[in-house]
Amino acid sequence: MLDDSIYAQLLDRALRRGGDYADVFAERRRVVSYRLQDGRIHDGALALTNGVGIRVVVGESAGYGFSDDLSLEALLRAADAAALVARSAPAGQTRHADTLASGAVDESLYHGYSEQIADAGRYVGLLSRADAAARAVDPRIAAVNAHVVDELQEVWIANSDGRIVHDRRPMVTLGVQAVAVDGGERGSGYAGDGGRTSIAYFDAHSPEELASDAARVAITNVEAIPAPAGEMEMVVGAGGGGVLLHEAVGHGLESDFNRQGVSLYSGRVGERVASELVTIYDDGNLPEERGTVAVDDEGVPGQHKVLVERGVLRGYMQDTLNARLMGVTSTGSGRRQSFRCLPQPRMCNTYMPSGESTFDEIVRSTKRGLYAKSFAGGQVEISRGDFVFMVAEGYLIEDGKITAPVKNATIVGNGPDVMTKVVAVGNDERLARRHYTCGKGGQYVPVGVGMPSVKISSITVGGTHG
Amino acid sequence: MDKDEALAVAQRAVAIALDAGASDAEATLAVSRQFHAEVRDTTIAQLEQSTSKGLHVRLFVNGRRAGLATSDFSDGALRSALAATVDQAAQVAEDPLSGLPDAFASDWPDLDLEDPVLIARDDAAKVDDALSLERLIRAADPRIENSSGSDSGDTATTVALANSRGFGGAYSGTRAGLSTGPVGDDGGAKRTAHYGTAGRKLADLESVGFVAATAARRVTEMFGARKPQTMRVPVIFERDVAAAVLSDIFAALSASNVAIGNSWLAGRAGERIGSDLVNLVDDGRLPGKLGSSPFDGEGVATRRTVAFERGVLRTFLYDTYYGRKLGAESTGNASGGGIGPNSFYLEPGSGTLEDLVAKTSRGVLVLETIGFATEHASGTYSRGARGFYIENGELAYPVEEFTIAGRFPEMLAAVDAVAADLRFDGSVVAPSFRVGEMMLSGE
């Protein structure tokens, strides 16, 4: 986006007061979107982003400045703002290479992108097809809202080690929300898909199938009975159940919380933290997945990381700042929402590999419990690992059989506790449909989750029905 | 960039949009200068300082609408981006209701939104606030030896809006905030809490000492917390969590959700839903408050709107489009292309949070919730929570790892006490209040 000489000039300027490390993150992003409402195309939008963020690291301190004005004068001001931090912390050794060497990125992880905005009719056609398919499911579908987003983010990351990389990351999303009304009852369902690919993805993955699923969940929820309250067994569905790993364990293994001693997993690598049925990976290299990065937002290639192996904690997800302070190397987990933000250690695609049990065996072994087929999202408190999940589609299990759908259950538990209560892991591992976004410290990044069916021996279900 | 320069950029964008083929257009430019410091112990972990600019254009081509967001305001860039936006509008269905408002703000009250003291303040003093928070939380209790950081930050923002019907207006405002997250050692296990304060002016903030002491107490008072039994009990929402409950009610009051069937309040205007204590107001003109501005995101004059009066649903909250759709006038709630709060609050009652506890023979005080599980279509509310079990009007012991759940119609009808501890430290705020009965799910 900028001349190589300008990156070098900005790095010099950023380090002029000293510092251990500096990087420049230049971003160009184009987002085309359309929304459907009331059976017709409601609006369209174009968002164009151009900006540069400059960071100086001194010991545990990071200084940051950014600019959405690309003039040299404004960029130098951003570098000066970043350099201010070097005034208030002891300066380390300044390392700087005279020339920037280009690093290679593995573009094969992304399945195509649109250089130009695709033919507009193609986007709105997907929305209209989704609308018709959702309404065709049941006359009780009263409203359908859908959106399609086609995004291309290009980043250039140059650092004071003398490296520059360019990554071009596509992302498409199609989301459908259906609302069902039956008498005084209302229920909604959502389905979303896409990934790091072009809009051509939906040639093979039909909007009809996605929309039918959203409508089916809405109908299930309008017919659902109030969720039970209290402790019971839980069967977590394959795919979308992976939100459980993301919240219950994943966040607690991000290196910032562990370096700071804030996470309950701090200093526990090598210890048993889960049932030995539990293995958890985080992977930045899964083709086309939302959380995949050929290089992360610090220019480090995405990697496959073993977080937990047969119940034993193996390692954390590292960005460069925390890795350096902990004496290890980055795992390619430094991510940021945009050039306006400092990078943080984050998850990419977090999943658990298959175990031995079949789904039927797992359900049959459950006396009284909740089958959480998919989660709408969750949140965790890092220091204790207390988490909450919202069930998007859930059913009662009674005497080994899946029975009535239940409305809007919330699950509450403690991460390390629940991981010791994993008593069966299914042989049906799969990644969830691609629509998850993770929030941390006000920054949102796309992620993937996956899981086989899993049985938890006891968990608290927070329904309204005692 | 001052207000006049910002307005000139917005006016130029409107002219270019019309040139590109739009029949009407509106441009909003927001320029903000931000400062943020995060300190851990005695080290500055993050020091950020920047100016950001964002231009949003909404354009209409004979009832078809499209929008552009960009930070490149050069003539050439705007011409090509707006031409592409006009092309996008061609894909949109014609909608006779879409378009600019019919009337715009014409009075310019002094809303006292800017703090010259804050603007003139030295960066070192701001960093010192965060350093002090770190020192004070550690001094408050020997069991607090760590933190997830203390933050000090502020922004100074100028907003300018112009449209093709001749409206042009601009205002500037400031916001400052302080927060801290101490970590305590509860017999080998860690506990955290967060407390913060915010306002338009430095003088509106709670003191550094108060913020540190409150955060430290929130950590240590939870030591030894237990999981409660599953039961139906009265629930007291402390004002921060009460405000989060109000955010859900705001979403249900938003005409955009009502119109698409995603609100449990749809079709219920005029009905008595809450108790007499449920008086919910949206006001864009309270002097000096974070939610105040002279005009909304479409240039419509802000105002005071009573959404719930003594439990009766009086009106939804509208922008121009959804007002037209549902047969009402805009309430001045257009925000960022959708509908948002000005200052949306529950009117205060009397007494303190302690008074609410004292008149509760058995119940739960909720100090923190996690999760965001609200199903707006059905009005089902459910959260993970922590706080205190109340016995005989006193805090008996801390409780955690439970959920509280209910349906909004029943929760609002059961609001039986509201305290007077309202603070305008955000745009959605509430005093502490009690709901007569909710489902608590624990052991």
Side-chain angles (χ1 to χ4, degrees):
Chain A
M1 193 162 86
L2 309 170
D3 281 349
D4 271 12
S5 65
I6 294 186
Y7 292 106
Q9 192 177 346
L10 294 175
L11 289 166
D12 280 342
R13 180 77 164 230
L15 287 170
R16 78 197 159 103
R17 293 168 180 274
D20 300 328
Y21 180 84
D23 57 11
V24 177
F25 178 87
E27 178 185 19
R28 177 191 294 153
R29 195 191 294 237
R30 181 197 70 208
V31 185
V32 179
S33 62
Y34 291 90
R35 290 190 297 177
L36 174 140
Q37 208 179 85
D38 277 347
R40 55 189 180 183
I41 305 305
H42 183 73
D43 60 8
L46 174 65
L48 301 171
T49 304
N50 275 304
V52 175
I54 301 169
R55 174 173 64 156
V56 173
V57 176
V58 191
E60 292 183 57
S61 307
Y64 201 66
F66 67 78
S67 177
D68 40 33
D69 176 344
L70 301 187
S71 70
L72 182 61
E73 186 197 355
L75 295 175
L76 289 171
R77 257 199 318 272
D80 288 343
L84 283 176
V85 78
R87 190 175 50 179
S88 37
Q93 183 68 35
T94 298
R95 285 170 295 160
H96 179 72
D98 287 340
T99 56
L100 294 169
S102 293
V105 305
D106 182 3
E107 287 211 2
S108 72
L109 293 170
Y110 311 141
H111 289 171
Y113 52 83
S114 334
E115 188 70 60
Q116 297 294 322
I117 298 171
D119 162 30
R122 200 159 169 184
Y123 300 113
V124 299
L126 293 171
L127 296 178
S128 299
R129 285 167 60 192
D131 182 64
R135 290 176 192 278
V137 166
D138 194 294
R140 290 172 290 173
I141 297 298
V144 178
N145 306 296
H147 62 272
V148 61
V149 184
D150 187 357
E151 173 177 336
L152 182 63
Q153 181 202 30
E154 285 192 85
V155 299
W156 291 261
I157 305 151
N159 66 35
S160 54
D161 293 340
R163 195 160 172 272
I164 182 166
V165 291
H166 172 216
D167 192 13
R168 183 158 42 181
R169 306 165 178 161
M171 181 74 79
V172 292
T173 311
L174 176 62
V176 186
Q177 189 211 17
V179 179
V181 177
D182 190 352
E185 290 295 317
R186 286 170 179 275
S188 68
Y190 179 83
D193 200 11
R196 293 213 182 269
T197 176
S198 77
I199 199 72
Y201 177 81
F202 296 106
D203 294 346
H205 300 81
S206 86
E208 283 82 4
E209 194 188 326
L210 198 66
S212 306
D213 278 358
R216 187 185 53 72
V217 175
I219 293 295
T220 302
N221 281 331
V222 85
E223 291 172 348
I225 60 172
E231 286 192 355
M232 61 195 72
E233 296 175 288
M234 177 169 72
V235 175
V236 181
V243 172
L244 179 79
L245 306 175
H246 179 101
E247 301 295 349
V249 184
H251 278 297
L253 300 181
E254 291 167 342
S255 60
D256 47 354
F257 301 127
N258 288 284
R259 176 179 66 79
Q260 296 165 1
V262 173
S263 169
L264 67 113
Y265 293 111
S266 300
R268 297 185 60 192
V269 172
E271 288 182 27
R272 172 166 300 280
V273 296
S275 144
E276 67 173 28
L277 296 173
V278 175
T279 292
I280 305 173
Y281 302 132
D282 184 76
D283 200 328
N285 282 341
L286 299 174
E288 214 176 72
E289 291 296 323
R290 281 174 67 83
T292 294
V293 284
V295 293
D296 71 3
D297 294 320
E298 301 182 298
V300 179
Q303 296 171 24
H304 173 84
K305 289 135 287 182
V306 180
L307 303 179
V308 175
E309 188 175 29
R310 299 183 63 78
V312 176
L313 179 58
R314 289 298 179 208
Y316 305 123
M317 288 164 279
Q318 298 281 357
D319 63 345
T320 54
L321 184 146
N322 290 288
R324 198 169 42 77
L325 294 168
M326 293 172 84
V328 295
T329 54
S330 166
T331 58
S333 303
R335 303 186 65 189
R336 49 180 137 193
Q337 177 173 300
S338 79
F339 71 90
R340 293 191 170 89
C341 307
L342 279 161
Q344 306 166 313
R346 300 293 292 262
M347 284 172 265
C348 292
N349 306 296
T350 313
Y351 67 99
M352 178 188 282
S354 273
E356 311 273 314
S357 308
T358 66
F359 178 67
D360 286 346
E361 286 165 7
I362 290 176
V363 173
R364 270 207 310 275
S365 72
T366 305
K367 274 265 166 297
R368 174 177 177 266
L370 180 77
Y371 169 40
K373 189 171 177 190
S374 65
F375 293 116
Q379 194 179 341
V380 66
E381 191 279 309
I382 293 299
S383 64
R384 294 186 51 76
D386 291 345
F387 62 73
V388 165
F389 304 113
M390 289 69 85
V391 178
E393 184 180 0
Y395 301 83
L396 289 179
I397 302 178
E398 294 166 297
D399 292 324
K401 290 195 187 68
I402 295 171
T403 58
V406 295
K407 215 184 258 301
N408 312 120
T410 292
I411 305 299
V412 61
N414 176 269
D417 177 52
V418 95
M419 283 297 127
T420 62
K421 290 180 175 163
V422 172
V423 291
V425 175
N427 58 6
D428 52 356
E429 190 268 323
R430 61 184 176 80
L431 294 166
R433 262 207 191 120
R434 301 167 183 154
H435 65 89
Y436 290 96
T437 296
C438 168
K440 172 177 172 180
Q443 292 195 46
Y444 291 83
V445 297
V447 295
V449 297
M451 191 146 113
S453 307
V454 161
K455 180 172 171 181
I456 312 280
S457 59
S458 170
I459 197 147
T460 299
V461 177
T464 52
H465 201 67
Chain B
M1 199 182 283
D2 68 19
K3 284 190 278 198
D4 290 343
E5 289 167 323
L7 190 56
V9 172
Q11 283 163 338
R12 184 162 54 86
V14 167
I16 294 174
L18 296 179
D19 266 2
S23 46
D24 259 318
E26 163 200 288
T28 307
L29 178 68
V31 182
S32 66
R33 210 172 65 238
Q34 297 140 296
F35 174 89
H36 169 236
E38 179 182 311
V39 172
R40 289 192 67 243
D41 203 357
T42 57
T43 303
I44 298 172
Q46 295 180 5
L47 190 61
E48 302 175 71
Q49 207 173 337
S50 290
T51 299
S52 65
K53 310 188 298 294
L55 177 70
H56 285 259
V57 179
R58 283 199 311 151
L59 59 81
F60 303 89
V61 184
N62 304 320
R64 303 167 197 271
R65 102 194 78 185
L68 169 71
T70 181
S71 56
D72 189 344
F73 316 148
S74 67
D75 266 1
L78 277 181
R79 268 179 213 292
S80 82
L82 286 165
T85 311
V86 167
D87 286 347
Q88 280 194 270
Q91 296 297 324
V92 173
E94 193 178 331
D95 185 341
L97 303 179
S98 85
L100 295 175
D102 300 313
F104 303 99
S106 53
D107 59 331
W108 305 95
D110 178 12
L111 293 174
D112 197 20
L113 306 179
E114 220 173 357
D115 183 7
V117 178
L118 182 64
I119 290 170
R121 198 172 186 223
D122 184 47
D123 289 349
K126 302 174 187 177
V127 175
D128 276 348
D129 280 348
L131 285 162
S132 301
L133 284 170
E134 283 291 293
R135 196 178 63 249
L136 292 170
I137 54 173
R138 284 166 171 77
D141 193 297
R143 297 167 296 177
I144 295 175
E145 294 181 331
N146 196 1
S147 84
S148 53
S150 293
D151 293 85
S152 168
D154 56 71
T155 54
T157 304
T158 295
V159 176
L161 192 154
N163 68 28
S164 53
R165 301 291 173 91
F167 177 81
Y171 59 90
S172 295
T174 49
R175 178 189 195 278
L178 285 174
S179 69
T180 183
V183 178
D185 182 355
D186 181 8
K190 297 181 212 305
R191 284 191 181 279
T192 52
H194 244 94
Y195 189 77
T197 181
R200 288 226 177 252
K201 298 183 170 187
L202 209 52
D204 295 338
L205 303 188
E206 289 165 315
S207 73
V208 168
F210 181 83
V211 170
T214 306
R217 194 188 69 235
R218 291 263 170 100
V219 170
T220 54
E221 71 188 2
M222 287 302 295
F223 281 12
R226 335 171 188 171
K227 185 168 182 162
Q229 296 294 312
T230 297
M231 55 188 159
R232 287 194 174 275
V233 280
V235 173
I236 298 172
F237 292 88
E238 180 273 344
R239 65 179 182 84
D240 280 344
V241 287
V245 172
L246 240 63
S247 295
D248 279 340
I249 299 171
F250 183 86
L253 281 167
S254 294
S256 53
N257 280 329
V258 173
I260 64 174
N262 198 28
S263 168
W264 61 275
L265 288 171
R268 301 188 66 178
E271 280 183 38
R272 169 172 295 280
I273 293 168
S275 76
D276 273 359
L277 299 174
V278 177
N279 293 291
L280 293 170
V281 179
D282 180 84
D283 195 334
R285 296 235 165 160
L286 296 170
K289 302 305 182 211
L290 283 167
S292 298
S293 59
F295 53 84
D296 75 354
E298 296 180 300
V300 171
T302 52
R303 65 203 68 190
R304 180 174 193 270
T305 307
V306 178
F308 272 89
E309 186 180 12
R310 297 177 65 80
V312 177
L313 173 58
R314 291 292 179 208
T315 179
F316 301 115
L317 295 165
Y318 301 97
D319 63 358
T320 297
Y321 176 77
Y322 287 102
R324 286 174 185 155
K325 192 149 188 157
L326 298 174
E329 210 178 290
S330 169
T331 51
N333 284 95
S335 171
I339 292 177
N342 292 297
S343 284
F344 181 67
Y345 63 97
L346 172 64
E347 281 194 348
S350 59
T352 63
L353 176 61
E354 290 69 28
D355 294 337
L356 287 188
V357 171
K359 59 184 167 192
T360 304
S361 58
R362 174 173 172 269
V364 164
L365 166 64
V366 174
L367 292 170
E368 201 181 320
T369 54
I370 63 169
F372 35 90
T374 299
E375 218 278 327
H376 294 295
S378 63
T380 312
Y381 172 89
S382 174
R383 290 288 188 283
R386 57 171 62 163
F388 278 91
Y389 184 65
I390 301 168
E391 250 168 5
N392 304 321
E394 287 180 3
L395 301 180
Y397 51 84
V399 285
E400 65 181 353
E401 212 185 323
F402 63 93
T403 65
I404 46 170
R407 304 258 293 203
F408 270 110
E410 287 121 55
M411 285 166 65
L412 290 188
V415 171
D416 60 6
V418 178
D421 57 352
L422 181 66
R423 272 189 70 83
F424 286 89
D425 55 1
S427 52
V428 178
V429 289
S432 304
F433 63 82
R434 185 174 72 182
V435 174
E437 186 178 88
M438 288 184 72
M439 190 72 214
L440 182 156
S441 185
E443 275 188 349

